[in-house]
Amino acid sequence: MQKENVANVANYLTYKGKHKGLLGWVLSTDHKRIGLLYLYSIMTMFSVGVLLGLAMKFELLAPGKTIMEAQTYNATFTVHGVIMIFMVVIPGLPAVFGNFLLPIMIGAKDVAFPKLNLLSWWLYVAGVFLVLSAVIFGKGAPDTGWTFYAPYSFKTGTNLLPAIFGAFILGFSSILTGLNFLVTIHRMRCPGMKWSKLPLFVWTLYGTAWIQLLATPVVGITLVLVALERMFGVGVFDPALGGDPILYQHLFWIYSHPAVYIMILPAMGAISEIIPTFSQKMIFGYKAIIASTMAIAFVGYLVWGHHMFTAGMSGTAQYYFSLLTFIVAIPSAIKVFNWISTMYKGSINVQTPLYWAVSFIFVFLIGGLSGLVLGSLAANVHLHDTAFVVAHFHYIVFGGTGFAFFAAAHYWFPKIYGRMYDKGWANAGWLIFFIGFLALYTPMFYLGIMGMPRRYYDYLDDFHGGNILSTFGSWIMVTGLVIIIINLIRSARKGPAAEINPWRGKTLEWTVSSPPSLENFDEIPVIAEDDGPYNYK
Amino acid sequence: MYSPEVTQASNFVQGVDTAFLVILGISFFFLIGLTAVMIYFIYRYNRKRNPVATQIHGSTKLEIIWTVVPFILTMVMFYYGWLGWKPMAKPPKDAMEVTVYGRMWNFSFEYENGKRTDTLYLPKDKPVKLNLVALDVLHSLYIPAFRVKQDMVPNKENNFMWFVPQRVGTYELYCAEYCGLQHSYMYSYVKVMEDSVFQSFIADTTKVVAADIDSPIATGKRVMQNIGCFACHSLDGTKLVGPSFKGIWGAEHTVVTGNETRKVTVDEEYIKQSIFDPNADVVEGFMKGLMVSYQGQLSEDDIANIIEYLKTVQ
């Protein structure tokens, strides 16, 4: 009976338009279908990235050659980085959950430019194939690291150009999504949806969209310059041609540091939705969280130099970048305080999304606090370019964005598919994943403090212990991951039908059917004066 | 490698470790405190114990407190970081200077009197300034026990680091900036000795190559080990980034000269040219531009010894 119910309602999943089957998806301009297209493509690339990561950890299980040669290892960490950064965490939450939920959360039928939205996904796919072509064809996969630092990126004989063009096109995908979201949030809010009533996830998408729009062109230009230099010998970055490799680092990080906030802001937004819902309580300090979002988006532009403390900048630049790095930490701290205060005197419903959200706060704290260590000039001298940095950014980018992604997936799953997942397996998967995550990345902090440089194919015996633990951790974590993903895939097809509002949330997406109809709302909703996204009275 | 037993190995250890420990202490306080509060809330305000939530909008007072307190704490962290870093930028005028050459994938060290070594030898308690020269790509000189690290940037002027070694001993020295295939094998050691021992060591310029080796063949091999030839050229026929040395003497190689492909026989002239102008003739199947010239680093005697040694690699 329930199954038939799901199938008979004309929703966005079963809707039949001009095209049938797969074409009905890859040519659909519906924001929800595009959101799912992103979900499937991102999860595919994520799986590839995870397999490469596993291979790297396996190689580091013992000193010397374990399973691969140095050249393979160097290519593996490069491709792992390019995939995870440009194809998984940067599009990540905005492209999947932003696309799916942004219009519904502001009471709109779609984004402002649905065709542009579809073009963004196609650009994403084109970028992915270009990068992968660099791996498959030519003189071997790129081996420069995802940072493409000059002048090694000019010396290497590997097939770098397709990877660079791929990253360039992925950047355009990101810019167009940002532009689309900005216009949507400005122009498409339903009557009564004032800025002061926007859900916090929408606010973080707004801050993120500005960064995507303003920062991404910088890396685009930089990658074009690298390509010109490689093809025609225009000397911009290569000292052999009179260029300046430090200039490359500046231009690269002017984008790539704000990019970290592209990754983490929507993650914070998702957590800001989940915690009030499961506490059945108004979010604590709504305006403070918005202010901190915008502060992060703005100050995040001005701290890129902290990636270059040992590169030989002037003393003044060092002080400036270190000081601002400490200041940008404060808005993140404010968010954490507000999230925890939201739980105070709540009526807490402990469910899978909350496990993810709470463990997000824990790993995000570790990631953020270890970032303070690296922001300190003196401590940075010792720890820069060591395993400590690798641990730090995996705690932020994987621990932060990754945990929030799974929190969001388990939170909005019943809305997206109209079905509920098996909560027992979901919780078991979370626990195993969480333990594995800690075992995988925590030893890297220790290894970094001991002085093990990063991007090392081989290491001295002194570093063996920490590496063994880390590799074991990777196995545990992947076990959890497999459980989580199988459970979600199975439940999307066979799970019991979900209610409209299983978690008793207050944002607009919980007022529409599960899964939503093609145009989300039969009638555009009107927000009354005393309504609000977290109005639990 | 960093080790708790080896404290104060250089004059910067204290500054770096203080900055690190101040942040670590504050971080642990907040991590444990906030996690404990969070877990307590989940327990105490679980919907079984607290079926109805109390709605609280927020508190301006609290927001101000938890903005100002972290601000003050981070400024304290910044201060210690600045304090520990500031002296690293200003080397004393009387520091002993050593020039460090970094190339794919080894370090070599040249002292004021022209002596060259593959290990960094230093006198205890004397300030030393290392002038960093990167010959090909970015490298980074990192001595964990001394808490010093500085990127080596090709063509960069005034690229240096300085410190005072304060304990006799041997410490690892790594390349910390990814530099290609053999990056993880680009490491060496710092040997800190009593000043008197160092003086007699440095005065003896014949010790560039270990003194007890007298045959040209052994000397040639030692020279090649010192400058790191075997990182890219194997002795057993294995194909690395450069052609193997196995059976190289008298062999016929197909090389690419400019755009032309031609055959050459490996003789004295060819070996010498391959060392001083490695990109003139590149053996077919290998990359151009990976090896940089050793001009000025090897004497005619060194070359002669290298040739004697290569004749024996069969």
Side-chain angles (χ1 to χ4, degrees), chain A residues 143 282 338 346 348 384 458, chain B residues 45 50 55 63 149 178 185:
Chain A
D143 66 340
M282 168 167 276
N338 279 299
I348 298 173
H384 182 68
D458 197 358
Chain B
Y45 301 112
N50 197 34
Q55 299 303 325
E63 299 291 349
K149 181 185 290 123
Y178 175 69
Y185 297 104

Side-chain angles (χ1 to χ4, degrees), chain A residues 153-158 160-161 226-233:
Chain A
S153 52
F154 302 110
K155 291 253 179 201
T156 178
T158 54
L160 195 66
L161 277 179
V226 171
L228 285 179
E229 192 154 343
R230 250 185 100 94
M231 289 190 296
F232 306 116

Side-chain angles (χ1 to χ4, degrees), chain A residues 282-360:
Chain A
M282 168 167 276
I283 186 97
F284 192 94
Y286 174 77
K287 284 187 179 147
I289 293 184
I290 294 172
S292 64
T293 297
M294 298 320 277
I296 289 174
F298 178 69
V299 185
Y301 279 108
L302 309 173
V303 299
W304 77 84
H306 66 215
H307 296 267
M308 301 163 58
F309 282 151
T310 65
M313 284 186 297
S314 76
T316 319
Q318 305 269 59
Y319 301 149
Y320 160 88
F321 283 120
S322 175
L323 193 68
L324 282 174
T325 301
F326 281 112
I327 286 176
V328 81
I330 295 166
S332 299
I334 292 171
K335 281 184 196 284
V336 171
F337 293 132
N338 279 299
W339 291 327
I340 295 179
S341 302
T342 301
M343 294 186 211
Y344 174 68
K345 292 200 172 174
S347 178
I348 298 173
N349 180 13
V350 185
Q351 299 276 3
T352 317
L354 189 75
Y355 282 128
W356 282 105
V358 169
S359 50
F360 164 89

